[in-house]
Amino acid sequence: MRQNKTKRILTAFVGTTLLACGGIFAEAYTQDNANNKSQLTVPWDEFKKLLQLREDEIVLSLETYEKLLAQTGTSATPQPTLQGGNVVLTRAEFKNLVDQMKPPTAAGTQPPFDYLITKAVYSGRMQKNNTAFSGIFNVHVLKKEIYLKIPILPQSIALQDVKVDGEQALVVSENGYHHVILSKPGENVVTAAFSQKSSLEKGPQKLDLVIQQTPITLLNLAIPLQDIDVEIPQAQQVLTSAGNGATEVSAIIAPGQAINVHWRKKAAVIEKLSPKLYSEVHHLVAIEDDALKINSDILYNILHSEVDQVRLAIPEGMNVLAVTGEAVGEWQEIDQNGQRLLLVPFTYGRKGGATINIAAETALSENGATTAFSGMQVLDTVRENGYIGIALNTSAEVNVAGSEGLERVAAEKLPQQLYNKSAKPLILGFKYLKHPYDLALDVKKHEKIAVPMATIVSANVVTLFTEDGKVVHRLVYQVRNSAKQFLAMQLPEKAQVWSVFVGNEPVESSLDAQGKLLVPLIRSRSGSNQLDTFPVEVLYCMAEKSFSPASQRRSRLPAADLLVSQLIWSVYLPNDYSYLYFTSSLEKEEMIRGINFFSGAPRRYDERAMKEFADKDGKRDIAESNEQLKKAYRGDEFRSQFRNQPMPEEQMSSQLDAELQFGQRLENLRQSQAQSGPPGMNKAGAGVLPIQIQVPTSGQVYRFAKTIITDDDPLEIGVVYTRLWIVNLVKWLVFVSVLWILYRQRETLSRFWNRSKDKLAPLAGFYKRHAPAIRQAAQSLITPFVLLGLFIVWWFISRPLALMIFFLLWVSVVYQFFHHRRRKVQVPESEK
């Protein structure tokens, strides 16, 4: 009993070890040579020695047996012997089971396609009303153990028979194709007999065959006709042979989905006629500063026979620069009997349409003489006609002094090919029917005027006045430059340049003999048919007298040698002063146009609030930005309103950015100085602050604007200012003086009041007589609405009268409010 139990444990171990060895066998299988087969043979003695088997019976658990059976890929096996829930196999049965086991398929061996049709050969014989075809298709089935539907021919073709490897095939028609059912992996030869409509007697003489696209496609066709020419557009090679009353055609077809065969009777060989040439010439004549640039297109129509070259006669004074065109060889110019000829050879014989292009030039006449243009004459032609278009590429004035053999036409009536050839609009157009013709042009040159090579599209200027007399200017120009080398600026004598940036990069500036600052410029990039702008920034400082308790202060911007389209100037002034009146050559914003003695709170710049606004990451919506800017510019509205200078929103936004960057630029300069070391160790360089300085960017902000500024226009401001305590003292003195005057004139005011009461007595009597009606109108709920309608109507007619009506509307609303409250109080008392 104990021995049987040990035997069963040993057999279970054998089965488990066998499953584990399946992976080893599979790996050994995948490492076999290229000629391996789908089996793995292990000698039984070796296998028995490996598993240490000695018994003739092997006992496996049912689960292990099913796993082994699954690896064989079969299910129809003899019913195994069961004993105690286990499967008992003899040594022969177990060996047979192992022999049937299949190694697992190695990963990554799945074919890229289920099948491939590598070659198709179509052999046909044309009959009276149809063509009988036999098609042979080489089909490689790559996927195993699956039925595939292989499309071979379109469903519009009538099949006669289909075989696979010589045996009858299964065919199904669906999705527009006849499909053959295949399951055998490897190469299969499919042959199909089918018929296609064609006609030998009725036209058109052609055969159209729709096919399945294959890498190799061959066509063999017998046409029962002789002396015919056969054309197959899809063929790369066509061979024909005549015999036995038919024409045999063999062709190699390029991959495609159709074969089109055309045939016709061979034309009788006749003697070639001499070629006939017709030509149409399109001359584009561009007037330059020193010459007529001629670009001619000669359109040939060559009949009967091919030509190897063409000839043209070159008029006196014309120089040929280039000859181009399809199949045009190396051209040459010769002199024949005193006439200059242009010979243009072709690399092969040309027939039908041919076009050549000739570029030439004719120098302009000097001393005010006219310039003649007669064009090149096309020789050896039956007829020549052409068109001439005149384009002006300079500032000269052009007049037609005379013409012969030409008909003047509108430029729009010229051939479209010639009209579209010129980049500039054509100013003149002519037509001629034959040679010779002459055109005399009177070209008058005028003195050219210089145009700006660069311009300043917009300028954003920020100036900071400090109480101790420092004045810091930051000028940011948006420059559009095509060829100008330097931007020249006339700075004040005592100005100290702190930094110069061009295109956001520091540059080295210099001074010329007149003391002007020269800023090197870069060329604008071209995009969207115009030049882009780049920023030019100049930061400099001046030392002036410190602010006194009451005085005036002036400042002037340096003149730039470029036209400025629009400029905005923001000025920071110390907070502890009241600025009574501004003068400026620029337009002042609305809040400072007049005297500011009794004005409201000034616009004060809070650097800390603006820095918090700048440090926020991410995009901010407009409402959030406006709210933050209101905190940064405390007091009046942060935007400026100009009466005569319409200020776009983007321009005002760029100025606010310039004010924000003003403080950031100073901070960056201070950091650059701190990193470069002590002042004594720092060498002056481009874009680096030469001395360490602390400049607070805060104060009252006022703005000025101007458009279209030349280098002669002055850009200056002036302000009359005083200490705040002086302004407050004056206001108190005025208030006390008014009270003192009223007290001294109290008797006069009393007499005036008494006289006024006497004059107002009739009005009081009118009120007493009509008091009920007036009270009823005042208490009516319709009265406020009537007054509101009158206010809206009179607002567009008379503003003063509309304001009076608005005052009555306000009184009426207040009266209705208190009258309603009084009635609510009276109702409960009456109920009591």
Side-chain angles (χ1 to χ4, degrees):
M1 188 72 178
R2 182 178 180 87
Q3 184 178 0
N4 291 336
K5 185 176 180 180
T6 305
K7 180 180 179 181
R8 292 175 182 175
I9 294 175
L10 180 61
T11 54
F13 172 75
V14 169
T16 305
T17 307
L18 181 62
L19 289 177
C21 291
I24 301 175
F25 297 156
E27 183 177 359
Y29 173 80
T30 56
Q31 294 178 355
D32 203 357
N33 55 29
N35 298 323
N36 60 356
K37 298 182 179 180
S38 300
Q39 63 181 4
L40 180 65
T41 303
V42 178
W44 173 252
D45 293 337
E46 295 294 333
F47 182 69
K48 184 172 63 174
K49 186 185 298 182
L50 176 66
L51 300 182
Q52 299 179 359
L53 299 179
R54 295 292 183 269
E55 296 81 2
D56 292 334
E57 291 185 354
I58 299 174
V59 180
L60 302 175
S61 65
L62 182 60
E63 180 182 0
T64 303
Y65 175 75
E66 290 177 350
K67 290 181 179 179
L68 293 175
L69 186 63
Q71 293 189 31
T72 64
T74 61
S75 58
T77 57
Q79 186 68 23
T81 303
L82 298 177
Q83 184 178 5
N86 296 324
V87 178
V88 180
L89 299 176
T90 63
R91 185 174 65 174
E93 291 175 341
F94 183 73
K95 184 177 183 304
N96 184 44
L97 181 64
V98 172
D99 291 340
Q100 294 182 13
M101 290 174 58
K102 297 180 179 179
T105 303
T109 59
Q110 290 295 327
F113 305 99
D114 293 345
Y115 67 91
L116 290 174
I117 304 178
T118 58
K119 183 179 180 181
V121 180
Y122 300 93
S123 302
R125 176 167 294 276
M126 191 174 294
Q127 301 172 3
K128 183 177 181 181
N129 295 318
N130 69 306
T131 301
F133 274 100
S134 173
I136 301 176
F137 306 91
N138 291 356
V139 182
H140 293 261
V141 176
L142 305 180
K143 203 166 186 180
K144 300 178 181 179
E145 299 180 0
I146 189 172
Y147 285 92
L148 298 175
K149 293 186 290 185
I150 314 297
I152 56 172
L153 290 170
Q155 200 168 342
S156 58
I157 291 179
L159 292 177
Q160 183 178 353
D161 190 20
V162 179
K163 293 183 179 180
V164 176
D165 295 332
E167 298 182 359
Q168 208 67 33
L170 298 177
V171 182
V172 61
S173 297
E174 62 181 16
N175 299 327
Y177 278 91
H178 297 299
H179 296 76
V180 176
I181 309 300
L182 298 178
S183 63
K184 186 185 76 173
E187 184 178 5
N188 296 265
V189 179
V190 179
T191 58
F194 59 94
S195 180
Q196 178 72 17
K197 268 190 176 183
S198 62
S199 177
L200 291 173
E201 299 177 353
K202 297 180 180 180
Q205 294 178 326
K206 67 175 183 176
L207 171 65
D208 297 326
L209 180 64
V210 181
I211 62 174
Q212 180 75 284
Q213 181 170 331
T214 54
I216 302 174
T217 306
L218 305 178
L219 174 66
N220 300 312
L221 180 63
I223 305 176
L225 297 173
Q226 289 185 337
D227 298 330
I228 60 174
D229 290 326
V230 180
E231 294 182 2
I232 304 176
Q234 297 85 1
Q236 301 296 320
Q237 176 182 327
V238 179
L239 300 176
T240 59
S241 61
N244 299 326
T247 299
E248 299 288 341
V249 181
S250 298
I252 301 176
I253 309 299
Q257 296 182 340
I259 300 176
N260 306 109
V261 183
H262 304 267
W263 68 91
R264 63 177 180 274
K265 281 286 185 181
K266 287 185 177 180
V269 179
I270 59 176
E271 184 180 355
K272 287 187 177 182
L273 299 176
S274 58
K276 286 187 177 181
L277 280 70
Y278 296 83
S279 64
E280 181 176 298
V281 185
H282 298 165
H283 294 294
L284 174 62
V285 181
I287 302 174
E288 304 286 348
D289 290 331
D290 57 349
L292 301 180
K293 299 292 185 180
I294 305 163
N295 193 300
S296 302
D297 287 330
I298 304 176
L299 287 69
Y300 284 98
N301 186 16
I302 305 171
L303 304 179
H304 301 322
S305 301
E306 298 175 348
V307 296
D308 296 326
Q309 72 172 7
V310 292
R311 302 188 307 155
L312 298 97
I314 306 173
E316 185 179 356
M318 180 179 293
N319 297 318
V320 178
L321 304 177
V323 180
T324 57
E326 183 182 355
V328 171
E330 185 176 354
W331 58 276
Q332 59 180 331
E333 184 178 331
I334 64 173
D335 191 338
Q336 189 176 51
N337 300 327
Q339 174 67 54
R340 297 167 58 207
L341 298 181
L342 178 66
L343 302 182
V344 182
F346 295 115
T347 56
Y348 58 88
R350 297 299 303 272
K351 185 180 178 182
T355 302
I356 64 174
N357 176 267
I358 301 176
E361 67 176 10
T362 299
L364 292 179
S365 301
E366 299 179 355
N367 302 324
T370 59
T371 301
F373 173 76
S374 57
M376 288 170 286
Q377 182 179 1
V378 183
L379 303 178
D380 307 323
T381 60
V382 177
R383 183 178 67 249
E384 175 194 350
N385 65 294
Y387 299 88
I388 303 173
I390 309 296
L392 186 62
N393 293 342
T394 182
S395 60
E397 179 183 355
V398 180
N399 294 306
V400 179
S403 63
E404 183 179 349
L406 295 172
E407 177 187 351
R408 192 161 181 171
V409 297
E412 294 79 8
K413 299 296 183 181
L414 295 173
Q416 200 69 24
Q417 178 181 351
L418 175 58
Y419 185 80
N420 295 334
K421 197 171 184 179
S422 174
K424 296 287 186 69
L426 299 180
I427 60 174
L428 296 172
F430 299 92
K431 175 183 178 181
Y432 70 91
L433 299 179
K434 63 178 181 178
H435 260 282
Y437 64 86
D438 289 295
L439 175 63
L441 298 175
D442 183 11
V443 181
K444 296 181 180 179
K445 298 180 182 179
H446 301 290
E447 183 180 358
K448 294 184 178 180
I449 61 173
V451 296
M453 294 182 294
T455 182
I456 298 176
V457 178
S458 63
N460 300 99
V461 183
V462 179
T463 299
L464 172 67
F465 287 86
T466 63
E467 194 170 358
D468 61 352
K470 298 292 190 302
V471 183
V472 182
H473 296 274
R474 180 175 182 259
L475 301 91
V476 180
Y477 298 132
Q478 296 297 329
V479 180
R480 182 175 287 129
N481 180 36
S482 61
K484 190 173 175 61
Q485 298 184 20
F486 294 96
L487 168 65
M489 302 173 60
Q490 187 64 60
L491 297 179
E493 294 182 1
K494 298 182 179 180
Q496 183 182 7
V497 178
W498 284 357
S499 67
V500 179
F501 283 76
V502 176
N504 298 320
E505 296 292 337
V507 297
E508 294 184 359
S509 55
S510 58
L511 295 176
D512 63 1
Q514 290 77 28
K516 292 184 178 180
L517 177 69
L518 299 181
V519 180
L521 299 178
I522 59 177
R523 191 180 185 278
S524 297
R525 296 182 178 178
S526 179
S528 303
N529 297 325
Q530 67 175 1
L531 297 177
D532 294 335
T533 61
F534 59 89
V536 174
E537 176 189 328
V538 178
L539 187 67
Y540 68 95
C541 175
M542 296 180 61
E544 298 181 357
K545 294 181 179 180
S546 60
F547 275 64
S548 59
S551 183
Q552 65 176 357
R553 183 58 60 98
R554 305 190 67 83
S555 182
R556 185 185 182 96
L557 291 180
D561 64 342
L562 293 179
L563 178 68
V564 182
S565 299
Q566 190 170 48
L567 181 143
I568 306 180
W569 187 1
S570 298
V571 179
Y572 290 79
L573 295 169
N575 281 324
D576 295 335
Y577 294 84
S578 177
Y579 303 96
L580 307 178
Y581 183 71
F582 287 88
T583 60
S584 177
S585 60
L586 294 81
E587 182 181 356
K588 300 176 285 187
E589 60 177 320
E590 281 293 321
M591 63 181 293
I592 57 173
R593 288 187 68 88
I595 299 176
N596 305 319
F597 190 81
F598 293 102
S599 61
R603 183 194 296 122
R604 298 179 184 271
Y605 178 78
D606 188 347
E607 183 182 11
R608 181 177 301 175
M610 182 59 83
K611 189 173 182 180
E612 293 177 358
F613 172 72
D615 291 342
K616 286 187 177 180
D617 295 331
K619 295 184 177 179
R620 297 175 291 268
D621 55 17
I622 297 177
E624 181 184 358
S625 299
N626 291 341
E627 191 65 28
Q628 192 69 27
L629 288 172
K630 289 180 181 179
K631 295 179 180 178
Y633 294 92
R634 294 177 298 175
D636 209 332
E637 173 67 25
F638 64 90
R639 289 186 176 87
S640 297
Q641 301 294 331
F642 295 92
R643 185 174 300 179
N644 300 317
Q645 304 286 343
M647 193 61 56
E649 182 66 26
E650 58 270 15
Q651 186 69 15
M652 180 55 63
S653 299
S654 66
Q655 184 64 18
L656 294 176
D657 290 339
E659 296 173 7
L660 170 62
Q661 295 169 5
F662 181 76
Q664 293 178 345
R665 176 62 73 191
L666 294 178
E667 182 65 26
N668 293 338
L669 291 173
R670 288 196 294 267
Q671 293 177 1
S672 299
Q673 172 63 26
Q675 295 173 1
S676 60
M681 300 293 294
N682 185 26
K683 299 221 179 195
V688 179
L689 186 63
I691 57 174
Q692 191 168 3
I693 184 171
Q694 299 291 334
V695 182
T697 53
S698 61
Q700 302 180 34
V701 183
Y702 302 98
R703 301 188 183 103
F704 307 85
K706 189 177 180 63
T707 58
I708 313 300
I709 306 168
T710 64
D711 54 356
D712 296 330
D713 294 335
L715 300 174
E716 56 184 4
I717 63 168
V719 59
V720 178
Y721 66 92
T722 182
R723 281 282 188 176
L724 282 177
W725 65 266
I726 297 178
V727 174
N728 294 332
L729 177 61
V730 172
K731 290 180 179 180
W732 279 107
L733 291 176
V734 172
F735 179 72
V736 172
S737 299
V738 170
L739 292 180
W740 183 73
I741 292 173
L742 292 177
Y743 177 76
R744 292 292 303 270
Q745 300 295 328
R746 61 185 181 279
E747 296 181 356
T748 303
L749 293 175
S750 178
R751 290 193 298 270
F752 175 76
W753 172 252
N754 293 331
R755 287 197 302 269
S756 298
K757 286 197 300 183
D758 295 338
K759 291 181 179 180
L760 295 175
L763 183 60
F766 175 82
Y767 174 77
K768 291 180 180 180
R769 291 192 301 271
H770 301 86
I774 295 174
R775 189 179 298 107
Q776 183 179 1
Q779 296 176 357
S780 175
L781 293 176
I782 302 177
T783 301
F785 296 99
V786 173
L787 292 173
L788 178 61
L790 292 174
F791 168 74
I792 296 173
V793 172
W794 283 98
W795 179 259
F796 300 99
I797 301 175
S798 174
R799 297 289 176 87
L801 185 57
L803 293 176
M804 294 177 60
I805 297 174
F806 180 78
F807 175 74
L808 295 176
L809 172 63
W810 179 76
V811 173
S812 176
V813 171
V814 173
Y815 179 81
Q816 290 288 344
F817 174 74
F818 285 103
H819 178 67
H820 178 69
R821 289 190 60 184
R822 186 167 58 252
R823 291 183 59 185
K824 287 181 65 176
V825 172
Q826 291 176 354
V827 169
E829 291 179 354
S830 61
E831 291 178 356
K832 291 180 181 179

